[in-house]
Amino acid sequence: MKKSVEDLEVSGKRVLVRCDFNVPQDDEGNITDDRRIREALKTIKYLLDNKAKVILCSHLGRPKGEVNPKYSLKPVAQRLSELLGMEVKIAEDVVGQSAHALADALQDGEAMLIENVRYDAREEKNDPEFSKELASLAELYVNDAFGTAHRAHSSTAGVADYLPSAVGYLIKKEIDVMGKALENPERPFVAILGGKKVSDKISVIENLIDKVDSLIIGGGMSYTFFKAQGKEIGTSICELDKVDLAKELLAKAEAKGVRLVLPIDNVVVQEFSNDAPSQVVSSDAIPEGWQGVDVGPKTVELYREVLKDAKTVVWNGPVGVFEFDNFAKGTNEVAKILSELDGATTIIGGGDSAAAIEKGGYADKMTHISTGGGASLEFLEGKVLPGIDCIQDV
Ligand code: AMP
């Protein structure tokens, strides 16, 4: 088990905390969604309350190893100051004189930020020299940036070679909830996988097929599976080079007794746009020249039936082109069904599925909404995440 922030003696110590402050901004640099900053507060407040000297770090955007004011963390420092009700100073550099001067002057129960770690080209190379320089700012290291935990960079992994380390509350929850679901789920365990391409989800499907009782496959991916079943799919999105793989996965599911649930009806259009005239057709009857953009109402009912007794549910990826309001119904219905499940652990992978849950106002009904899209996908693939692996065990 990985050490958590509560396992460290933090009082009076300088603690380097890797957060994910990669927030969206408008053209003037105003933060348009501060959720990532708010989510980081629990760990930061714990450290401040326990009299640590808190040195925060993060990346923001892709400055490609160069100092660029467009990617400065100054707006984050300001927002943090407002949220914490105390001044959070920001250094002018990452590991230079300014960062060291501020870190040395830091008092117990105070917090500061260093500049964007990606201002230094060594960060993304996980350069040991840069990791050492980061480590020299502090006495302890806490990683709470799940969104970058699948990257082996200096601030997300390398630095842990030089300091006693622990995970913050955000990563701890990801490990506790998602880790348990994958290792020791309460059953029935149902996974819902959607999204555009089979190729992006192969490893997740392969990993989950060994663990779940039912696997719901929806979205653009379905059509490659339909093709594998010999169905006509019109102009629906399809990866011809993955049809054989889809056949293998169908056979594997059958051999393992996993119920693989594909859509039974589909909303189809002739033109890929929100206002295109649409019709609902059975999966055996997709007309020539038409493409599937959402699951149909019978499929939603099938999902309801498969999910009704589930005790653990993992959802990653929309079951339709949910960016188009007219074809977001299937995805929104999945969100609603999950919100109504009684006594089930519901885990939402980051990205689009999380957006659908938020949009429907169901966020507080879910057990866990992962804070990292790519990272949660790799977690579901059963991969070791460098940002977690680097942390000391209890
Ligand atoms: P992913 O990033 O793999 O989770 O895929 C998400 C994307 O899949 C979204 O942009 C959806 O619009 C897209 N998507 C879902 N269903 C379909 C479909 N039937 N045809 C085309 N794209 C789809």
Side-chain angles (χ1 to χ4, degrees):
M1 201 165 81
K2 294 296 171 190
K3 271 193 184 168
S4 95
V5 67
E6 292 179 18
D7 296 315
L8 297 175
E9 284 296 332
V10 300
S11 174
K13 298 270 172 56
R14 278 176 284 120
V15 187
L16 180 70
V17 188
R18 176 53 156 102
C19 297
D20 181 3
F21 292 144
N22 186 30
V23 289
Q25 287 169 291
D26 63 17
D27 291 342
E28 274 97 56
N30 300 305
I31 295 169
T32 51
D33 181 354
D34 67 356
R35 180 181 337 175
R36 287 184 173 156
I37 304 177
R38 285 184 282 110
E39 283 170 344
L41 291 177
K42 188 171 176 195
T43 297
I44 298 171
K45 281 186 176 157
Y46 171 84
L47 290 167
L48 294 173
D49 289 347
N50 285 280
K51 307 270 177 290
K53 302 175 169 90
V54 181
I55 303 166
L56 302 164
C57 69
S58 175
H59 77 285
L60 176 66
R62 296 175 186 275
K64 302 204 169 114
E66 279 169 27
V67 175
N68 180 342
K70 190 175 160 216
Y71 300 110
S72 170
L73 284 168
K74 284 192 178 116
V76 172
Q78 194 184 340
R79 188 77 193 103
L80 266 172
S81 304
E82 288 161 12
L83 290 168
L84 289 169
M86 61 187 278
E87 189 186 9
V88 178
K89 287 190 181 144
I90 176 159
E92 291 297 326
D93 50 28
V94 188
V95 286
Q97 250 182 349
S98 167
H100 275 280
L102 277 189
D104 289 344
L106 212 55
Q107 301 294 309
D108 295 354
E110 284 184 357
M112 63 170 276
L113 248 175
I114 57 172
E115 257 302 359
N116 191 337
V117 284
R118 290 193 188 165
Y119 276 3
D120 196 308
R122 297 173 296 173
E123 158 70 3
E124 290 182 74
K125 296 186 182 126
N126 198 13
D127 183 321
E129 281 308 314
F130 183 59
S131 302
K132 257 189 234 173
E133 287 174 34
L134 280 171
S136 73
L137 290 167
E139 296 153 282
L140 300 168
Y141 168 69
V142 171
N143 190 7
D144 209 19
F146 185 70
T148 47
H150 57 316
R151 310 259 180 247
H153 294 169
S154 282
S155 70
T156 62
V159 63
D161 286 344
Y162 306 100
L163 291 174
S165 57
V167 294
Y169 288 110
L170 281 179
I171 291 195
K172 183 168 167 41
K173 189 170 175 219
E174 302 276 358
I175 303 174
D176 286 352
V177 183
M178 271 209 280
K180 173 167 186 272
L182 295 179
E183 275 157 34
N184 187 20
E186 250 193 276
R187 294 186 179 278
F189 178 13
V190 183
I192 309 164
L193 296 177
K196 208 167 180 168
K197 296 191 198 157
V198 181
S199 50
D200 290 343
K201 306 272 159 87
I202 296 169
S203 310
V204 184
I205 299 175
E206 283 177 339
N207 188 36
L208 290 181
I209 226 166
D210 288 331
K211 302 180 191 295
V212 297
D213 299 293
S214 302
L215 179 58
I216 293 176
I217 291 190
M221 279 201 286
S222 322
Y223 303 97
T224 303
F225 282 89
F226 286 168
K227 192 92 188 166
Q229 293 174 324
K231 294 191 167 100
E232 295 298 330
I233 58 166
T235 52
S236 303
I237 186 168
C238 177
E239 291 169 281
L240 288 174
D241 61 336
K242 295 290 175 291
V243 172
D244 284 343
L245 177 84
K247 277 186 196 158
E248 280 168 32
L249 292 168
L250 287 166
K252 192 171 174 191
E254 200 179 330
K256 287 192 164 284
V258 170
R259 183 173 178 195
L260 200 145
V261 182
L262 286 163
I264 49 176
D265 60 350
N266 311 265
V267 179
V268 294
V269 294
Q270 281 178 296
E271 197 192 301
F272 193 75
S273 80
N274 184 45
D275 301 318
S278 64
Q279 55 172 324
V280 175
V281 297
S282 134
S283 296
D284 292 317
I286 300 176
E288 218 182 299
W290 292 70
Q291 73 175 106
V293 285
D294 196 4
V295 295
K298 287 191 182 139
T299 303
V300 171
E301 287 320 303
L302 176 63
Y303 288 174
R304 200 184 306 284
E305 189 257 310
V306 175
L307 287 162
K308 81 175 181 318
D309 299 318
K311 285 280 166 281
T312 306
V313 183
V314 170
W315 179 24
N316 184 294
V319 296
V321 185
F322 89 119
E323 296 91 337
F324 292 153
D325 280 349
N326 289 338
F327 309 121
K329 193 151 193 259
T331 301
N332 292 338
E333 287 290 330
V334 170
K336 186 157 181 277
I337 294 170
L338 296 194
S339 76
E340 288 165 358
L341 291 182
D342 232 2
T345 300
T346 43
I347 302 170
I348 314 302
D352 296 333
S353 343
I357 292 283
E358 299 281 347
K359 200 170 139 211
Y362 307 125
D364 58 356
K365 299 253 169 55
M366 300 299 133
T367 309
H368 181 60
I369 300 178
S370 177
T371 52
S376 80
L377 204 60
E378 291 200 14
F379 206 116
L380 296 177
E381 287 171 0
K383 285 196 186 145
V384 171
L385 307 189
I388 297 176
D389 194 41
C390 69
I391 302 297
Q392 288 171 334
D393 289 309
V394 175

